[in-house]
Amino acid sequence: MTETKEQQEKVILVAVAAGDLGEARSSLEELELLAKTAGAQTAGYILQPLDAPVPATYLGSGKIKELKDLIDLTQADGIICDDELTPVQIRNLTEDLEVKVMDRTLLILDIFAFQASTAEGKVQVELAQEQYLASHLAGYGTSLSRLGGGIGTRGPGEKKLEMDRRAIRRRITSLKRELAQIERHRDLLREKRKRSERKTAAIVGYTNAGKSTLLNVLTNAGVLQEDKLFATLDPTTRVLELEQGQKMLLTDTVGFINKLPHQLVESFHSTLEEACSADYLIHVVDASSPEAEKQMQVVYETLDGLGVGTKRTLTIFNKTDQAENYASLRDPRAQETVYASLKKGEGVEEIRLALSKFLSEDQIRISRIFPYGRAGLVNRVREEGTLLSESYEEDGIHIEAFVSRELYGRLEK
Ligand SMILES: Nc1nc2c(ncn2[C@@H]2O[C@H](COP(=O)(O)OP(=O)(O)OP(=O)(O)O)[C@@H](O)[C@H]2O)c(=O)[nH]1
Ligand SMILES: [Mg+2]
């Protein structure tokens, strides 16, 4: 038997607006984009203004009737709620509606599962998925596995996710062990990088802002850049060569989103730590989004939650080619700001200048002759600084290099 192509799921998007109605609406729009990324088609929306979601059923009873009618009318296969549901809410809604009940967390996890490509990414995603299932099993029962494919049933590498509590727990233990091993390896790499005294910048930002595009424009990294949410999951580091031989390491990592599931933040902790250990932040903002301000706030809240301290920051307001009022956008946390269209290559020179400036504040250019008896010092410059040139002359080795302030201090002594 040949397998038939997985049918596109038809879903109704459901949200409770606890605060600002406009904000809830744009969150729902983002949910639609997420659903589309996961291969589902949106057949309708239900938005209910409430002080808080109803504990037992998420929506009020009147709205549930309305939702039922909409499901009948559109022949939808399921609903996706814009908040993480409790097991009780899932169970009650499934009983009432008799369709597949999903939430924002399940959906985002599903996208991550689909996009993960490296061993580390796959382990991280599966761990987050199993953690989510473990705490929501009472709600789903066997309904997810009974319903066959679609959102929530995909595992990395199409491995079927476990639906049995004991099996889930065993799997979580073994995934954690695997991840710890991978993390040790990553720590070693990072240590090595630190020792080389190369300054590093972490590219951070809301998903789809243009982070990978920036890395590609600056370093020809060839990273996948796509009009998709969470196109990048695995960090990529490349060397950026600036003027006068200055070098900096750039890391492109996973993007952030409003209501980023805590399960993902936990299992992606080591990936996200790249931002913690970097010397500088490059914050890419989609200036063409009407939600640009809110998205910046989400990024900083996520970084604060991760314990990323204040770092010198370059903020790039990107996609100015399709933005209207971008000139009024400001980032009070940034020391440098550039308005750019990375796709068109506009603003790239300013970005390079801003990064050079960061480096220059931390590095000093030296040009001096070291006596042959002091070869040890020359080695230090070679290992810890950026060597621009060296030549052997009568009275010693002539070195031109960039060195950190610390090293400069030691050389002076
Ligand atoms: N119009 C316009 N589109 C851009 C610009 N820069 C990037 N894009 C597009 O925006 C989309 C997302 O770009 P990416 O670089 O993949 O974004 P990202 O921040 O890495 O996204 P994730 O990895 O999914 O979090 C792609 O389709 C890019 O072509 C720009 O200056 N203008
Ligand atoms: Mg990317």
Side-chain angles (χ1 to χ4, degrees), residues 211-212 223-224 231-232 252-253:
K211 301 179 294 298
S212 300
V223 176
L224 178 73
T232 310
D252 174 28
T253 60

Side-chain angles (χ1 to χ4, degrees), residues 230-296:
F230 303 111
T232 310
L233 289 195
D234 307 299
T236 305
T237 300
R238 290 285 180 278
V239 180
L240 166 64
E241 302 212 11
L242 293 162
E243 276 50 66
Q244 302 180 304
Q246 280 182 311
K247 289 189 183 114
M248 183 187 275
L249 293 176
L250 294 187
T251 303
D252 174 28
T253 60
V254 61
F256 300 147
I257 195 164
N258 193 19
K259 305 182 197 171
L260 184 67
H262 69 92
Q263 297 91 342
L264 280 175
V265 176
E266 282 150 28
S267 69
F268 272 79
H269 209 270
S270 67
T271 302
L272 296 169
E273 265 174 7
E274 292 286 335
C276 303
S277 66
D279 299 288
Y280 318 114
L281 294 179
I282 304 176
H283 183 182
V284 184
V285 181
D286 178 354
S288 73
S289 165
E291 298 300 315
E293 299 267 2
K294 164 89 186 163
Q295 294 181 354
M296 285 168 64

Side-chain angles (χ1 to χ4, degrees), residues 49-220:
L50 282 177
D51 289 339
V54 178
T57 51
Y58 190 64
L59 294 177
S61 56
K63 270 289 179 216
I64 290 189
K65 278 211 192 72
E66 204 179 300
L67 175 56
K68 229 169 166 165
D69 291 342
L70 190 58
I71 290 171
D72 285 342
L73 187 74
T74 56
Q75 294 287 299
D77 306 295
I79 65 161
I80 306 180
C81 298
D82 199 24
D83 295 286
E84 188 170 316
L85 297 169
T86 64
V88 173
Q89 289 169 334
I90 294 170
R91 202 174 46 227
N92 288 334
L93 284 170
T94 309
E95 265 165 28
D96 276 355
L97 303 169
E98 297 176 308
V99 292
K100 189 167 155 190
V101 173
M102 295 163 275
D103 63 19
R104 187 176 174 105
T105 302
L106 189 79
L107 177 59
I108 292 178
L109 287 171
D110 193 77
I111 296 170
F112 270 63
F114 190 74
Q115 306 281 36
S117 63
T118 64
E120 178 174 24
K122 284 180 182 168
V123 173
Q124 287 170 316
V125 174
E126 199 190 336
L127 179 58
Q129 281 184 310
E130 299 285 7
Q131 305 264 33
Y132 173 83
L133 275 182
S135 58
H136 290 76
L137 208 56
Y140 286 115
T142 52
S143 69
L144 272 182
S145 58
R146 218 170 356 106
L147 282 162
I151 295 167
T153 61
R154 285 181 279 247
E158 300 308 307
K159 206 182 296 155
K160 263 254 170 284
L161 290 168
E162 299 285 357
M163 293 305 291
D164 168 67
R165 190 176 298 279
R166 262 195 319 197
I168 291 179
R169 223 173 279 142
R170 268 201 307 274
R171 189 77 189 125
I172 288 178
T173 310
S174 106
L175 285 167
K176 276 187 175 162
R177 208 174 299 138
E178 229 176 295
L179 196 57
Q181 210 164 354
I182 299 172
E183 278 168 13
R184 265 199 299 279
H185 179 67
R186 177 198 287 287
D187 284 348
L188 282 179
L189 285 180
R190 196 188 296 142
E191 269 308 299
K192 215 164 140 193
R193 222 184 284 150
K194 268 233 121 66
R195 248 182 291 136
S196 82
E197 289 247 345
R198 279 279 142 74
K199 295 287 175 189
T200 59
I203 304 174
V204 297
Y206 209 78
T207 182
N208 215 37
K211 301 179 294 298
S212 300
T213 307
L214 175 70
L215 189 73
N216 288 340
V217 165
L218 289 177
T219 71
N220 295 318

Side-chain angles (χ1 to χ4, degrees), residues 321-338:
D321 57 285
Q322 57 178 29
E324 270 162 30
N325 298 319
Y326 63 84
S328 61
L329 285 170
R330 293 278 180 280
D331 181 358
R333 289 218 199 178
Q335 283 71 43
E336 297 288 331
T337 304
V338 174

